[in-house]
Amino acid sequence: MPATSSPSSSPQRAPRAAKRPAADAYRPVLGRLPILEVSPVVENGAWPAKAFAGEVVPFSAVAFREGHDLIGVELLLTSPSGTSIRRRMSPVNPGTDSWCTTALLDEHGTWRFHVEAWADDVATWWHAATIKVPAGIDVDLMLAMGAELLERAADACGTADEAAWLRDEATTLTKGRRPATARLDALDEHGVLDYLTSNPLRSLVTESREYEVLAERERAGVASWYEYFPRSVGAVRHEDGSWSSGTFRTAESRLRDIAAMGFDVVYLPPIHPIGRAYRKGPNNSLEAGENDPGSPWAIGSAEGGHDAIHPELGTEADFRHFVAAARKEGLEVALDLALQASPDHPWVREHPEWFTRLPDGSIAYAENPPKKYQDIYPINFDNDPKGIRAEVLRIVRLWMRRGIRIFRVDNPHTKPVAFWEWLIHTVNAQEPDAVFLAEAFTRPAVMRTLAKAGFQQSYSYFTWRNTKEELEEFLDSISHETDAFMRPNLFVNTPDILTEYLQFGGRGAFKVRAAIAATAAPLWGVYSGYELFESVARAGAEEYVDNEKFEYRPRDFAAAEARGDSLAPYLTMLNAVRRAHPALRQLRNLRLQASDDEAVLVYSKLLPAEFTGTGAADAVIVVANVDPHAVRETLVRLDLPSIGLEPGSRYDVTDAVTGQTWSWGEVNYVRLDPFNEPVHILSVNNPT
Amino acid sequence: MPATSSPSSSPQRAPRAAKRPAADAYRPVLGRLPILEVSPVVENGAWPAKAFAGEVVPFSAVAFREGHDLIGVELLLTSPSGTSIRRRMSPVNPGTDSWCTTALLDEHGTWRFHVEAWADDVATWWHAATIKVPAGIDVDLMLAMGAELLERAADACGTADEAAWLRDEATTLTKGRRPATARLDALDEHGVLDYLTSNPLRSLVTESREYEVLAERERAGVASWYEYFPRSVGAVRHEDGSWSSGTFRTAESRLRDIAAMGFDVVYLPPIHPIGRAYRKGPNNSLEAGENDPGSPWAIGSAEGGHDAIHPELGTEADFRHFVAAARKEGLEVALDLALQASPDHPWVREHPEWFTRLPDGSIAYAENPPKKYQDIYPINFDNDPKGIRAEVLRIVRLWMRRGIRIFRVDNPHTKPVAFWEWLIHTVNAQEPDAVFLAEAFTRPAVMRTLAKAGFQQSYSYFTWRNTKEELEEFLDSISHETDAFMRPNLFVNTPDILTEYLQFGGRGAFKVRAAIAATAAPLWGVYSGYELFESVARAGAEEYVDNEKFEYRPRDFAAAEARGDSLAPYLTMLNAVRRAHPALRQLRNLRLQASDDEAVLVYSKLLPAEFTGTGAADAVIVVANVDPHAVRETLVRLDLPSIGLEPGSRYDVTDAVTGQTWSWGEVNYVRLDPFNEPVHILSVNNPT
């Protein structure tokens, strides 16, 4: 129980000499045109908004002018290397004064942006002129006003030729011989209006505050993770009941298969020496036998702590060889960062002040009364914050020197969020490609704050969102509500989580969950054994029986695949679809679509042609029967413009699961059988 | 059409020398414990949140700690005169990490507040001890930890007596002879726990940023408005068709009746000289006759502009007499501030630069093509901003010297919002009791921004929210969504608005609308004639036929009342109920309740005993049949704790409309007849 008091002036404390400003110290908040609700912005810009290199990000703001005159709104965006672009924003919904555009952030680093609003004098005049001139009202006046605008445009424009052309048009508008309406129309016909739309006359120009978007490297936002225990691969049980552990060398044998399934990150549970004291046995039992390897999360023994490698896994050279072998297969290795210690950890002897000392002289183990976790000592971050920060930074940098760039952080919500804010910022300041995944299964406010404070990726509630209604709410929220700061990694299972949906849903359930995870978000993950449909839980728990956390679990993947009992081909197909469709490698473009059945979930993802690099738009429609127990037939109702098609279009869709092609329209019949193929993953063959 | 460019550095422009901070320039956002989403806060504190003296304001924040240890959260509130109070905040909904308290802002001026979160070491220990000690786990350790906390409390406490007592308790806890559980319980029995709850041991103390709430004077937030045209009261039509205008002197005759109905603000449409050029005739016709008085909003003639008084209404002395007479009746006078000019306004001659000059040399009149409003010249705020600001400030201060403190601002949304931000701030800096009501019937973003920028009151969409569903959404929004910055004044009608609901709803509709306006929000208003059930519209318009804007409209209120044809007694009852019930003089305490009928709207308002000043809570339940055409019988389902009662209670309610008393519970039968009494206004006779 920490008893220290924090420093008297914490970072959140405001300067308190808050005297009322004198009347003449008045500082207006608004500019000439109000600009509010700029997005994406996190905590009013306290932290940069998140994106990844290659992400197409929607930018929006509320902006308006008094009265009826028209305005233009633009996004001004500056890349990390200093290139600035301007993008015209479009009104979103009539009456909301919201404006939006999207932009591709194609460079890793911090982008800066602000919004500019201005009176669009040409549009205001054109609106009035095209009503009044044909009606014969104020004809000469309207034409004279138009000529004045053209003269202003001529004064402002870049070349003498353009200026001369605009002045000619001004003269023709007021003095031409054709009827007034024809002279007005001529501005359109002669391209003057187009010119003035591209080169608007801006007045009353008002700028918003400037904000930042941090575009992290692409793999921070787009990746397929595969988790496995290296000690299980190649582990051998001897006749006397003892085991030979798998090693980094034997575990390398799995890398080619993982890469062949299309994954690009392999995540290893902690690889450090495991404590002996209070070691847990099979199924989390309190007594470990002689041959039980213990939980890798009980870190630290006489052989070393967080900077050491479990001797049974190999040497540092073996580890480096493993990382290099993974890299050869196109795989990055992610390590676990679990800031806790077994009672045998060297820290306990060398730095007892990093733990909580009780009045009886003992060190506090983890507990959630009346539950006790005597194999784990939590760190007390308040006793020696400087020392702990230095040690953790040393460890992270050590593993980065050994080739690691991705850390999956165990239970970050049991450590101070300010610590993570400091650590991630400090690491990224030197190594901007470092990625931290928060394993925080806890309350929404805590998960969101961890993400805001810097975690590049977050575990999410995905595993517990199984009905159509739950999934719709969840997918909409991750794509459009928390997208400015949180990037969920949709793991379908973990060593800690085997949901009832998978326990009792049969093979269809495994397909549905994987298909949704792989297509709904650009980050997803699978823990080894999923492809074998492992689904037996410890009684009463949402956790695997004979959990690999406490045992060696060698598996024969090849035999299962040979029998046709493996999901590997399906996972391979999913990762191939993700590679083929850039629309699936975006987070913010998910759009829910309708079906008439309460168990048939439909969503689409569109990447417009300007962002695909192929010249063609990319659109995918996913239709999933989330009822693993029954065939569902229903109608799917699509909003065609949201998938890049004209209302009323006919178009072909091809199912990546079966290869079949159908002609679709707005309303489409589907039949999805969980005992065969519960999901359509449809590419739209000709979106505009 | 303004063609000027704004100054190159507008207030919203951020300093652009935004170099990336160096790694060592890292400034953490979070303190030791995260504190986020502090409320009430407007635009991250750019403007103070709004309240009024006497308002009970909910304060909230999200705060949490890593892990399982418990925290305490407090509001620290400093009054304008410098008194600071601390209020413990309570968790709102489990799992949300939201904390809330309410506080009475009983002083006019700027309050400052911040939120403090800290580790509650005593609560954390008590939670563990009361589980572990009775279970016989770690008994000595738990008691020793408790003793340590008591020693800390002794060290921290104010008096030697208290310290000695706490040390005694510490000794008893560890060394007493009674069983351990009894020694633990003794802390509760001896009042030690209560003492430590009132004087908690705070560690890891973290403060949020500081924010401001501007509590304006009570009438900015609580008032009953009555609008009338002074020229109509005492106006006489002669046999030749000509009129003698009513005057301030004749209009004084109405003040006593208005006060007797319980209103406290009389609002007068513009009282300035009215233009002759393009004067509008009856029913907005383009040609005014010799005897047509013109619209008061066509301000300015040879007799003067915004600083002058229409000669037919009287002299400045008459005006001052009128204001004094109103004051004697307990009424404040509100004037109209309509920043526009008739073509005859002195500004047009003296300051043509304040208007928009067209290429043909003419001045632009108001128009919304193809509609023209040739009797009105809008001001161009961009041609001479300094000159216009100085002139408007001169005018406002002139009328304030003549006794006016409330301005109803005509169409503020057609003028720059930044102008209003400047004007209201500048006026209030010298005269903090000045109140501005925004008559902006326009898009939500514009209305909300005007309110944020400083308007003390706002007209709202209330007149167009007539069904139960519409009203529920509206009332919830004004009480809980926009309450930090917007105070709606619920006018039931205006010279511009006679809704179809009133045109066709009969007398029941008039009662329902008035009862809801008067009880749902602390600001409401009535335009003269409402009490006579005036309901005939100009064909096709939601506006009165023979509109008083263009004509004299003398009315015989006394005769109507004598015939029993007046709503005045009902309005009197409503204002009396508002005076009797402090709960009705609050904005943020509205709570929607349920009924089984789609036309029976139910809401309640509670003011807890600690804030009423009477020692008793005040609770009112309003049940309104919003269908003016049919009797409705239904069941009303109340959440009793939300009206200060225990679940399952029986209690008496007394109807302010009829004086009847009933015994009520959670589910209650009602029958509401629009042809008799469509609304119950029930006071709860014994809330806790």
Side-chain angles (χ1 to χ4, degrees):
Chain A
M1 189 173 319
T4 51
S5 210
S6 74
S8 68
S9 147
S10 71
Q12 281 186 331
R13 178 165 193 156
R16 302 304 283 292
K19 290 204 178 165
R20 294 296 304 135
D24 54 15
Y26 166 61
R27 293 210 305 189
V29 175
L30 292 175
R32 177 60 185 82
L33 307 187
I35 306 175
L36 299 158
E37 296 177 43
V38 177
S39 166
V41 169
V42 177
E43 296 291 331
N44 201 44
W47 290 293
K50 274 204 187 72
F52 57 83
E55 186 162 20
V56 174
V57 176
F59 291 83
S60 67
V62 165
F64 60 87
R65 181 179 180 180
E66 74 282 359
H68 300 291
D69 288 358
L70 301 175
I71 65 171
V73 183
E74 287 174 304
L75 169 71
L76 280 90
L77 186 62
T78 303
S79 76
S81 56
T83 309
S84 289
I85 61 160
R86 232 176 223 278
R87 281 182 77 94
R88 194 74 182 259
M89 300 175 82
S90 307
V92 181
N93 294 311
T96 64
D97 295 296
S98 293
W99 300 76
C100 185
T101 188
T102 51
L104 171 64
L105 306 191
D106 52 5
E107 197 181 306
H108 179 183
T110 299
W111 295 67
R112 291 174 291 126
F113 75 97
H114 69 272
V115 171
E116 210 174 272
W118 32 267
D120 189 339
D121 296 338
V122 170
T124 301
W125 167 76
W126 181 255
H127 174 78
T130 51
I131 291 172
K132 293 170 85 172
V133 172
I137 302 167
D138 297 338
V139 173
D140 289 343
L141 180 58
M142 292 317 295
L143 297 183
M145 289 167 68
E148 274 195 2
L149 290 168
L150 292 176
E151 293 287 344
R152 264 177 63 199
D155 291 346
C157 80
T159 72
D161 278 2
E162 274 175 11
W165 169 59
L166 291 165
R167 287 190 220 284
D168 277 356
E169 292 287 345
T171 307
T172 310
L173 186 64
T174 48
K175 306 212 169 77
R177 299 194 158 200
R178 298 167 65 198
T181 313
R183 280 181 274 155
L184 197 60
D185 291 345
L187 291 185
D188 196 0
E189 292 152 12
H190 297 177
V192 179
L193 271 190
D194 279 351
Y195 174 86
L196 291 174
T197 301
S198 307
N199 304 276
L201 285 177
R202 302 177 180 89
S203 61
L204 311 180
V205 176
T206 310
E207 292 180 344
S208 77
R209 241 188 80 182
E210 186 174 82
Y211 297 96
E212 292 183 344
V213 182
L214 175 57
E216 293 169 305
R217 67 177 172 123
E218 188 181 17
R219 204 155 276 177
V222 186
S224 302
W225 285 48
Y226 187 88
E227 171 177 6
Y228 77 115
F229 287 65
R231 73 182 179 191
S232 286
V233 179
V236 178
R237 187 170 194 273
H238 304 295
E239 283 191 358
D240 64 356
S242 69
W243 283 83
S244 297
S245 175
T247 65
F248 286 127
R249 291 290 176 149
T250 57
E252 281 183 20
S253 68
R254 188 84 184 110
L255 293 172
R256 176 153 301 178
D257 295 343
I258 295 169
M261 284 189 283
F263 292 99
D264 38 38
V265 174
V266 281
Y267 149 51
L268 310 182
I271 57 172
H272 315 299
I274 296 172
R276 275 266 157 213
Y278 298 99
R279 178 179 282 189
K280 296 286 178 70
N283 290 305
N284 206 21
S285 59
L286 290 179
E287 296 290 310
E290 182 69 21
N291 300 318
D292 294 326
S295 163
W297 283 273
I299 296 172
S301 75
E303 287 103 353
H306 286 72
D307 46 7
I309 291 171
H310 197 305
E312 295 199 342
L313 289 174
T315 63
E316 190 189 323
D318 294 329
F319 176 74
R320 286 183 186 271
H321 194 276
F322 179 88
V323 172
R327 194 173 297 134
K328 253 182 237 153
E329 298 291 349
L331 294 167
E332 265 196 69
V333 177
L335 281 198
D336 201 294
L337 182 62
L339 294 181
Q340 56 197 19
S342 105
D344 304 327
H345 196 291
W347 285 344
V348 177
R349 200 179 61 248
E350 295 163 17
H351 292 284
E353 74 276 14
W354 293 352
F355 303 92
T356 299
R357 173 86 52 184
L358 298 173
D360 63 1
S362 69
I363 288 179
Y365 46 78
E367 56 181 334
N368 187 7
K371 289 191 201 163
K372 299 178 170 201
Y373 308 94
Q374 286 162 294
D375 55 335
I376 300 287
Y377 285 172
I379 291 170
N380 182 330
F381 284 79
D382 295 305
N383 283 356
D384 174 21
K386 272 197 164 182
I388 292 167
R389 286 184 173 196
E391 172 69 351
V392 176
L393 189 59
R394 181 185 74 80
I395 287 164
V396 168
R397 287 185 169 157
L398 177 72
W399 290 104
M400 294 190 76
R401 282 198 302 278
R402 291 172 178 167
I404 298 303
R405 284 291 174 280
I406 307 181
F407 297 90
R408 177 269 197 195
V409 177
D410 191 70
N411 281 337
H413 57 293
T414 60
K415 289 92 187 171
V417 188
F419 166 80
W420 297 117
E421 185 189 6
W422 169 84
L423 178 70
I424 296 171
H425 181 97
T426 303
V427 170
N428 281 153
Q430 281 192 19
E431 315 252 15
D433 58 348
V435 170
F436 294 84
L437 162 61
E439 188 240 12
F441 291 111
T442 181
R443 308 181 303 281
V446 182
M447 293 170 66
R448 291 177 180 199
T449 306
L450 286 164
K452 288 175 183 174
F455 277 95
Q456 279 83 2
Q457 300 184 13
S458 308
Y459 281 71
S460 74
Y461 296 138
F462 175 66
T463 43
W464 301 287
R465 299 295 180 267
N466 291 292
T467 68
K468 174 183 176 178
E469 191 185 351
E470 289 166 358
L471 281 161
E472 285 189 335
E473 190 278 336
F474 172 80
L475 295 179
D476 203 52
S477 150
I478 62 169
S479 314
H480 305 299
E481 190 187 324
T482 58
D483 54 304
F485 55 87
M486 186 182 267
R487 275 194 295 261
N489 192 327
L490 307 193
F491 267 81
V492 290
N493 65 330
T494 80
D496 293 313
I497 307 172
L498 171 68
T499 59
E500 294 196 346
Y501 190 86
L502 293 176
Q503 291 176 38
F504 306 114
R507 298 188 172 192
F510 279 74
K511 283 187 174 177
V512 168
R513 298 297 298 174
I516 295 173
T519 59
L523 290 167
W524 80 301
V526 168
Y527 155 56
S528 184
Y530 190 86
E531 61 270 58
L532 303 184
F533 306 104
E534 290 177 2
S535 58
V536 181
R538 186 157 54 83
E542 280 210 319
E543 192 172 297
Y544 291 91
V545 73
D546 303 333
N547 197 308
E548 194 170 4
K549 285 191 289 184
F550 311 106
E551 305 179 32
Y552 299 104
R553 288 286 301 267
R555 297 177 174 92
D556 192 343
F557 294 99
E561 200 161 343
R563 286 195 311 272
D565 278 344
S566 170
L567 198 63
Y570 196 83
L571 302 181
T572 307
M573 176 275 295
L574 291 175
N575 281 322
V577 172
R578 289 165 52 89
R579 270 169 223 257
H581 289 286
L584 297 181
R585 301 198 299 271
Q586 296 285 331
L587 171 63
R588 290 155 150 119
N589 64 342
L590 183 133
R591 159 81 186 232
L592 296 173
Q593 305 281 356
S595 88
D596 294 353
D597 188 288
E598 61 180 16
V600 175
L601 171 71
V602 189
Y603 53 88
S604 61
K605 297 200 128 190
L606 170 70
L607 194 65
E610 80 173 297
F611 301 124
T612 56
T614 65
D618 181 43
V620 176
I621 306 161
V622 177
V623 187
N625 173 9
V626 300
D627 174 1
H629 304 295
V631 175
R632 298 274 181 160
E633 296 183 66
T634 190
L635 297 177
V636 166
R637 299 173 188 278
L638 301 171
D639 176 72
L640 294 190
S642 71
I643 51 174
L645 298 165
E646 295 292 319
S649 307
R650 299 296 306 176
Y651 53 96
D652 285 346
V653 295
T654 300
D655 190 348
V657 180
T658 61
Q660 287 177 285
T661 294
W662 296 285
S663 171
W664 269 32
E666 260 158 351
V667 180
N668 311 285
Y669 167 84
V670 294
R671 180 181 188 281
L672 290 166
D673 179 353
F675 305 99
N676 184 15
E677 292 302 345
V679 183
H680 288 318
I681 303 174
L682 305 168
S683 58
V684 177
N685 293 346
N686 47 356
T688 49
Chain B
M1 189 174 318
T4 50
S5 210
S6 75
S8 67
S9 148
S10 73
Q12 282 186 331
R13 178 165 194 156
R16 301 305 281 296
K19 290 204 180 163
R20 293 297 305 134
D24 53 15
Y26 166 60
R27 295 208 306 186
V29 175
L30 292 174
R32 177 60 184 82
L33 307 187
I35 306 175
L36 299 158
E37 296 178 42
V38 177
S39 164
V41 167
V42 178
E43 297 290 332
N44 199 45
W47 291 291
K50 274 204 187 74
F52 57 83
E55 187 162 22
V56 174
V57 176
F59 291 83
S60 66
V62 165
F64 60 87
R65 181 179 180 180
E66 75 281 358
H68 300 291
D69 287 358
L70 301 176
I71 63 170
V73 184
E74 287 175 304
L75 170 71
L76 281 92
L77 186 61
T78 304
S79 76
S81 56
T83 309
S84 289
I85 61 162
R86 231 176 225 279
R87 280 182 80 93
R88 194 75 182 259
M89 300 173 82
S90 307
V92 181
N93 294 311
T96 65
D97 295 295
S98 293
W99 300 77
C100 184
T101 186
T102 51
L104 171 64
L105 306 191
D106 52 5
E107 198 181 306
H108 179 182
T110 299
W111 295 67
R112 290 173 293 126
F113 74 98
H114 69 272
V115 171
E116 211 175 88
W118 31 267
D120 189 339
D121 297 336
V122 171
T124 300
W125 167 77
W126 182 255
H127 174 77
T130 51
I131 291 173
K132 293 170 86 173
V133 173
I137 303 168
D138 297 338
V139 172
D140 289 343
L141 180 59
M142 292 318 294
L143 298 182
M145 289 168 70
E148 274 195 3
L149 290 168
L150 293 175
E151 293 287 344
R152 264 178 64 198
D155 292 345
C157 80
T159 73
D161 279 2
E162 275 175 9
W165 168 59
L166 290 166
R167 288 190 218 284
D168 278 356
E169 293 287 345
T171 308
T172 310
L173 186 64
T174 48
K175 308 212 171 77
R177 299 190 156 203
R178 300 167 63 198
T181 314
R183 282 181 273 154
L184 196 62
D185 290 346
L187 291 186
D188 196 1
E189 292 152 12
H190 297 177
V192 180
L193 270 189
D194 279 351
Y195 174 87
L196 291 173
T197 302
S198 307
N199 305 275
L201 285 178
R202 302 177 180 89
S203 61
L204 312 181
V205 177
T206 311
E207 293 181 344
S208 77
R209 238 189 80 183
E210 186 174 83
Y211 297 96
E212 292 183 343
V213 182
L214 175 58
E216 294 170 305
R217 66 175 172 123
E218 188 181 16
R219 203 153 278 176
V222 186
S224 303
W225 285 48
Y226 188 89
E227 172 178 5
Y228 76 116
F229 287 65
R231 74 182 179 191
S232 285
V233 179
V236 178
R237 186 171 195 274
H238 303 294
E239 282 190 359
D240 64 356
S242 70
W243 285 83
S244 297
S245 174
T247 66
F248 286 126
R249 291 292 175 148
T250 58
E252 281 182 20
S253 68
R254 191 77 187 114
L255 293 172
R256 175 153 301 178
D257 295 342
I258 295 168
M261 283 189 283
F263 293 98
D264 38 39
V265 173
V266 282
Y267 150 51
L268 310 181
I271 59 172
H272 314 299
I274 295 171
R276 276 267 156 210
Y278 299 98
R279 177 178 282 187
K280 295 286 177 70
N283 289 303
N284 207 21
S285 60
L286 291 179
E287 296 290 312
E290 182 67 20
N291 300 317
D292 294 328
S295 163
W297 283 273
I299 296 172
S301 74
E303 286 103 351
H306 286 72
D307 48 6
I309 292 170
H310 197 306
E312 293 197 342
L313 290 174
T315 64
E316 189 188 324
D318 293 330
F319 175 75
R320 286 184 185 270
H321 195 274
F322 178 89
V323 172
R327 194 172 297 134
K328 251 181 239 157
E329 298 290 349
L331 295 166
E332 265 195 70
V333 177
L335 281 198
D336 202 294
L337 182 62
L339 294 181
Q340 56 196 21
S342 104
D344 303 329
H345 196 291
W347 285 343
V348 178
R349 201 178 60 248
E350 295 164 15
H351 291 284
E353 73 277 14
W354 292 353
F355 303 92
T356 300
R357 174 84 53 183
L358 298 173
D360 64 0
S362 69
I363 288 177
Y365 45 80
E367 56 180 333
N368 187 7
K371 288 192 202 163
K372 300 177 170 200
Y373 307 94
Q374 286 161 295
D375 55 335
I376 301 285
Y377 285 172
I379 291 170
N380 182 329
F381 284 78
D382 294 306
N383 283 357
D384 174 22
K386 274 197 162 180
I388 292 167
R389 287 184 172 195
E391 172 68 353
V392 175
L393 188 60
R394 182 186 73 82
I395 288 164
V396 168
R397 288 185 167 156
L398 176 73
W399 289 106
M400 294 191 77
R401 283 198 301 278
R402 290 171 178 166
I404 299 302
R405 285 290 175 281
I406 307 180
F407 297 90
R408 177 270 196 193
V409 177
D410 191 70
N411 281 336
H413 56 294
T414 60
K415 289 93 187 171
V417 188
F419 166 80
W420 297 117
E421 185 189 7
W422 168 84
L423 178 70
I424 296 170
H425 181 96
T426 304
V427 170
N428 280 153
Q430 279 193 18
E431 317 252 12
D433 59 347
V435 170
F436 294 84
L437 162 62
E439 187 241 13
F441 291 111
T442 181
R443 307 181 305 279
V446 182
M447 292 169 66
R448 291 176 178 198
T449 307
L450 285 162
K452 290 175 183 174
F455 277 95
Q456 280 82 4
Q457 300 183 11
S458 308
Y459 281 72
S460 74
Y461 296 139
F462 174 67
T463 43
W464 300 288
R465 298 294 179 268
N466 291 291
T467 68
K468 175 182 177 180
E469 191 185 350
E470 288 166 357
L471 281 161
E472 285 189 336
E473 190 278 336
F474 173 79
L475 295 178
D476 202 54
S477 150
I478 63 170
S479 312
H480 306 299
E481 189 187 324
T482 59
D483 55 304
F485 56 86
M486 187 182 266
R487 277 195 294 263
N489 192 326
L490 307 193
F491 267 82
V492 290
N493 66 330
T494 80
D496 293 313
I497 307 172
L498 172 67
T499 58
E500 293 195 346
Y501 189 87
L502 293 176
Q503 291 175 39
F504 306 114
R507 297 188 172 190
F510 279 75
K511 283 187 172 176
V512 168
R513 298 296 299 176
I516 295 172
T519 59
L523 292 167
W524 79 300
V526 168
Y527 154 56
S528 184
Y530 191 85
E531 61 271 57
L532 303 185
F533 305 104
E534 290 177 2
S535 59
V536 182
R538 186 155 56 81
E542 280 211 320
E543 192 173 297
Y544 291 91
V545 74
D546 303 333
N547 197 306
E548 195 169 3
K549 286 192 288 183
F550 310 107
E551 305 179 32
Y552 300 105
R553 288 286 302 265
R555 296 175 174 92
D556 193 342
F557 294 100
E561 198 161 343
R563 283 195 313 272
D565 277 346
S566 170
L567 197 64
Y570 196 84
L571 302 181
T572 306
M573 177 275 295
L574 291 175
N575 281 322
V577 172
R578 289 165 51 90
R579 270 169 223 256
H581 289 285
L584 297 180
R585 301 199 298 272
Q586 297 285 332
L587 170 63
R588 290 156 149 118
N589 64 341
L590 183 131
R591 159 82 186 228
L592 296 174
Q593 305 280 358
S595 88
D596 295 352
D597 188 288
E598 61 180 15
V600 175
L601 171 72
V602 189
Y603 53 87
S604 61
K605 298 200 127 191
L606 170 70
L607 194 65
E610 80 173 298
F611 301 125
T612 56
T614 65
D618 182 42
V620 177
I621 306 161
V622 178
V623 187
N625 172 7
V626 300
D627 173 1
H629 304 296
V631 175
R632 299 274 181 160
E633 294 182 67
T634 189
L635 296 177
V636 167
R637 299 173 188 279
L638 300 172
D639 176 72
L640 294 189
S642 71
I643 52 175
L645 298 165
E646 295 293 320
S649 308
R650 299 296 307 175
Y651 52 96
D652 286 344
V653 295
T654 300
D655 190 349
V657 180
T658 62
Q660 287 176 285
T661 294
W662 297 283
S663 170
W664 270 31
E666 261 160 351
V667 179
N668 310 284
Y669 167 84
V670 294
R671 179 183 189 281
L672 291 164
D673 179 354
F675 304 101
N676 184 18
E677 292 303 346
V679 182
H680 289 318
I681 304 174
L682 306 168
S683 58
V684 177
N685 293 347
N686 47 355
T688 50

